[in-house]
Amino acid sequence: MNRLGGREQQVLALLGGGANNAHIAETLFMAEGTVKGYVSRVLAELQVENRTQAALLAHQIGLRPESSEQQPTA
């Protein structure tokens, strides 16, 4: 996981939880297009072909969605 930055790890954790791009965007306060870019980078970095394989890898390493969610700052 060292190859992934913090935001990429957050996206991967949410992928592992079964989140679609719209949910990831809402959770991490970013545009859906930005999420698509992160998902592409995560797949390339992990050398997997699809988000299902990435999700399985997230589960194998114990990456949890709840640890990746951010709260808005006031």
Side-chain angles (χ1 to χ4, degrees):
M1 258 338 97
N2 300 356
R3 302 177 295 198
L4 298 179
R7 203 60 148 170
E8 292 164 335
Q9 287 183 22
Q10 292 174 325
V11 169
L12 178 58
L14 289 165
L15 279 176
N20 61 22
N21 288 351
H23 179 75
I24 295 170
E26 182 180 316
T27 302
L28 298 179
F29 308 103
M30 61 174 68
E32 208 169 324
T34 304
V35 171
K36 290 178 185 179
Y38 274 110
V39 170
S40 294
R41 284 194 294 279
V42 166
L43 297 181
E45 228 15 83
L46 298 178
Q47 298 178 339
V48 296
E49 294 181 19
N50 56 54
R51 57 195 299 136
T52 302
Q53 291 176 337
L56 289 171
L57 184 58
H59 279 277
Q60 289 174 352
I61 63 170
L63 202 52
R64 302 281 182 245
E66 59 274 0
S67 65
S68 71
E69 295 177 11
Q70 289 186 341
Q71 299 300 318
T73 55

